[in-house]
Amino acid sequence: QVRLVESGGGSVQSGGSLRLSCAASGYTYKTYCMAWFRQAPGKEREGVAAIDSDGRTTYADFVKGRFTISQDNAKNTSYLQMNSLKPEDTAMYSCAADGTRYYKGGYWYCVIEDEYNYWGQGTQVTVSS
């Protein structure tokens, strides 16, 4: 089993920044792929960003240039730095681990589709205009 605990959510004004953290414990060998997803009220869950243990990243188009995913392998922790936040970024953000990968350009990357086996409880992000 892998246990994931998110932190760092909160309320900010449009244009502000937040940094989310996801600490993993348990069978951490399963955290080769870690990702962030979000779900707004009345909407489906959508992938935001993913990273593998080698640091290769995948981003959704709507966050490119604004959000950065990173991880500290020694701490088994993934981070999501969110800058230039918009009201439409308001959602419950959850981290996930043990996802599938896709092959592109000679490298494997972690997906940002709903193909992960372990999920955290989430942390709320609210952006006001």
Side-chain angles (χ1 to χ4, degrees), residues 13-25:
Q13 291 193 328
S14 182
S17 298
L18 282 173
R19 187 193 192 207
L20 306 182
S21 299
C22 173
S25 60

Side-chain angles (χ1 to χ4, degrees), residues 48-93:
V48 176
I51 189 168
D52 70 10
S53 294
D54 295 322
R56 294 193 186 93
T57 58
T58 305
Y59 291 97
D61 288 342
F62 56 81
V63 300
K64 284 182 179 177
R66 299 190 299 126
F67 293 9
T68 302
I69 189 171
S70 62
Q71 65 178 16
D72 185 331
N73 291 331
K75 296 181 179 179
N76 292 311
T77 300
S78 171
Y79 304 97
L80 185 67
Q81 177 66 45
M82 305 185 296
N83 298 329
S84 302
L85 283 162
K86 307 174 182 179
E88 52 263 44
D89 293 319
T90 295
M92 180 70 75
Y93 284 72

